[in-house]
Amino acid sequence: MPVTTSIADIPTISVDFLDPRFAADPYPALEEIRAVGPIVRNERSGYLMLTSYADCAQVMGRAQSFAADVEHLTALFGGTTFASLSGARHRQLKGIWAPAFQRKSLAATYPELIRQVIVDRAADSIARLRAGETVDIAEGFVRAIPAVVIASMLGVPSADIPDFVRWSDEMGHILENRDDPSTHGRALVAQGKQATDNLNRYMAAVIDERRDRPGGDLVSQIAVSEVPMTEAEVVAATTQLVFAGNETTAKLMGHCLVTLAAHPGQREVLRQNRDLLPQAIEEVHRWSSVKVATLRFVREEQVQVAGHELAEDTTIMALPAAGNRDPQRWERADAFDINRPRLAHLGFGVGPHACLGLNLARLEVEILLNHLLDEIPDWQVQRVDYGDSWMVRGPAEIDVALENARGGRR
């Protein structure tokens, strides 16, 4: 592809990501952007948007060349975390917890805990569904499951889970509304920052307690770590873990339940062959991405992206949800197919900044789907509300009924 150095050569389109219709279904807009070109300027923000898998992977995976949104990530967590760092310091901080999140470590320690959390949390909703009720399973149990799991791993009381969920939901406003100048947008950002303060105060108290009485939990691991860290970094790291450990996983769970209900034939294949669950989860995450957009900033004097040489400080918006449906990478990219050849997608990030908890998320979702395929394999989705979260997107409400419930579907 020929290289051009002129921003004026980049085509422009107007995209309103804050339009509620985008959160409900971003894919028509993403395909409009893709049709304009591989790199497109949004005239509303000035950001350069990328839609191909290769270009998104380039800017998301090369942290030295493309910096994360440090200012807003710091606001999100209340301090510097490995999410906003690169190089040796990133590896050092991420490495504190990396062993605990390896697949073998998780498989040896947590499956029974996760299974019990799911059985307990889903029991009431399943009983109501079998009685013929329509139930919001997002509120009923999906949203709480990852929060209960991560709280257990952190060694904090399950009674505090409602606060964890509320604070995590509110913290997301910091990123979602960073470019919304309206009074409502500014109020949501302020609400998000207050939620971060609340969670940081809570975790700071837990950290102090673990320094005095360390155990085998994740907070103890960082509280007594020999890695040099300021107190703000320790607190922010645990806040990041709470946020990332429950919000994104809950959204992926929701996508799986909605997607499989919309494809009952493939759901039935999974019911009969559970060995296909891991690849089905990856296909859901490819086809209905949790991470829709992420900002990066050019940190080299000149860097080439999508055939253009970009100047330092240029703001790029990678659109991994579009990259995950790139027709240059996947045949029938807009079709959901649990049997398609497996290729890496962008749902959990790429390179050094790939999600620390990806193995935990996969394990939780697989155990949840196994349980629901056993207990209510014919769930039908009556209504879905995606709320207003568009950068990190997932169902906020999922009204479900059973086709063959005792009282009939209502």
Side-chain angles (χ1 to χ4, degrees):
M1 182 180 294
V3 174
T4 177
T5 59
S6 175
I7 293 293
D9 293 329
I10 297 176
T12 299
I13 191 174
S14 178
V15 183
D16 183 5
F17 292 113
L18 297 175
D19 186 328
R21 292 173 295 182
F22 185 85
D25 183 5
Y27 291 98
L30 295 177
E31 291 308 316
E32 286 183 19
I33 299 169
R34 192 196 312 279
V36 174
I39 183 167
V40 181
R41 181 179 176 274
N42 189 352
E43 66 180 28
R44 288 176 174 267
S45 62
Y47 301 158
L48 302 183
M49 301 177 294
L50 303 175
T51 54
S52 80
Y53 174 88
D55 293 332
C56 288
Q58 177 191 2
V59 303
M60 292 170 66
R62 287 174 47 193
Q64 298 284 8
S65 302
F66 305 97
D69 188 1
V70 175
E71 176 186 350
H72 289 88
L73 286 174
T74 300
L76 178 62
F77 301 123
T80 302
T81 68
F82 59 78
S84 58
L85 298 170
S86 62
R89 184 60 173 165
H90 169 85
R91 293 190 296 273
Q92 188 180 40
L93 296 185
K94 192 174 184 178
I96 295 171
W97 283 319
F101 285 93
Q102 291 176 353
R103 185 181 306 171
K104 289 184 178 180
S105 298
L106 294 169
T109 309
Y110 293 108
E112 188 52 41
L113 164 68
I114 295 169
R115 190 173 295 108
Q116 195 59 55
V117 167
I118 289 169
V119 169
D120 292 345
R121 291 283 166 165
D124 179 68
S125 293
I126 289 174
R128 290 171 58 198
L129 287 166
R130 287 173 171 166
E133 292 187 44
T134 296
V135 178
D136 175 8
I137 61 172
E139 178 66 24
F141 62 87
V142 170
R143 184 65 187 86
I145 289 169
V148 176
V149 172
I150 197 65
S152 298
M153 296 175 71
L154 291 166
V156 301
S158 59
D160 296 330
I161 295 304
D163 288 334
F164 273 31
V165 171
R166 186 178 71 257
W167 291 332
S168 292
D169 288 343
E170 293 173 353
M171 285 168 63
H173 295 319
I174 295 171
L175 297 182
E176 300 285 345
N177 297 278
R178 56 159 288 165
D179 296 320
D180 183 357
S182 69
T183 300
H184 179 63
R186 294 306 88 198
L188 288 175
V189 170
Q191 184 185 46
K193 291 181 178 179
Q194 182 61 56
T196 295
D197 289 343
N198 291 339
L199 184 53
N200 277 355
R201 281 196 295 271
Y202 180 94
M203 294 312 304
V206 176
I207 291 164
D208 283 343
E209 177 187 335
R210 294 299 190 279
R211 286 199 176 110
D212 292 336
R213 293 182 295 277
D217 57 86
L218 296 178
V219 177
S220 294
Q221 289 179 21
I222 197 168
V224 301
S225 170
E226 295 182 359
V227 174
M229 302 176 71
T230 66
E231 189 64 16
E233 287 175 329
V234 175
V235 173
T238 57
T239 296
Q240 176 188 359
L241 199 61
V242 172
F243 179 79
N246 72 75
E247 189 203 33
T248 55
T249 303
K251 291 179 186 298
L252 178 57
M253 288 177 171
H255 281 311
C256 286
L257 299 182
V258 171
T259 302
L260 292 177
H263 299 84
Q266 297 189 63
R267 179 178 60 185
E268 177 60 18
V269 170
L270 291 175
R271 188 185 71 80
Q272 297 183 33
N273 184 359
R274 305 303 172 83
D275 290 342
L276 295 175
L277 275 173
Q279 69 190 59
I281 294 167
E282 298 308 304
E283 174 65 356
V284 171
H285 207 176
R286 179 201 72 83
W287 188 74
S288 198
S289 301
V290 173
K291 188 78 169 187
V292 172
T294 186
L295 290 179
R296 294 291 188 270
F297 303 89
V298 176
R299 285 295 176 258
E300 296 178 350
E301 290 186 6
Q302 295 292 340
V303 64
Q304 293 182 18
V305 179
H308 291 259
E309 198 167 84
L310 304 180
E312 190 172 4
D313 294 330
T314 299
T315 303
I316 299 173
M317 177 177 279
L319 296 167
N324 281 341
R325 291 196 185 187
D326 184 351
Q328 298 299 313
R329 183 169 176 81
W330 288 277
E331 292 186 12
R332 301 180 304 111
D334 60 349
F336 176 73
D337 181 3
I338 63 173
N339 292 306
R340 72 167 63 249
R342 186 166 171 178
L343 294 172
H345 59 76
L346 301 166
F348 288 115
V350 62
H353 278 265
C355 176
L356 172 67
L358 62 88
N359 290 317
L360 177 62
R362 287 165 171 157
L363 181 62
E364 290 180 83
V365 177
E366 183 173 349
I367 293 173
L368 173 65
L369 291 179
N370 260 313
H371 183 61
L372 296 186
L373 288 169
D374 285 340
E375 299 295 323
I376 51 169
D378 60 340
W379 75 85
Q380 308 290 319
V381 173
Q382 307 297 304
R383 185 185 70 90
V384 184
D385 182 0
Y386 288 89
D388 57 5
S389 179
W390 66 272
M391 290 188 82
V392 181
R393 174 180 174 268
E397 299 176 14
I398 311 172
D399 289 344
V400 165
L402 298 186
E403 189 70 42
N404 300 308
R406 185 181 63 198
R409 187 171 62 185
R410 301 199 238 183

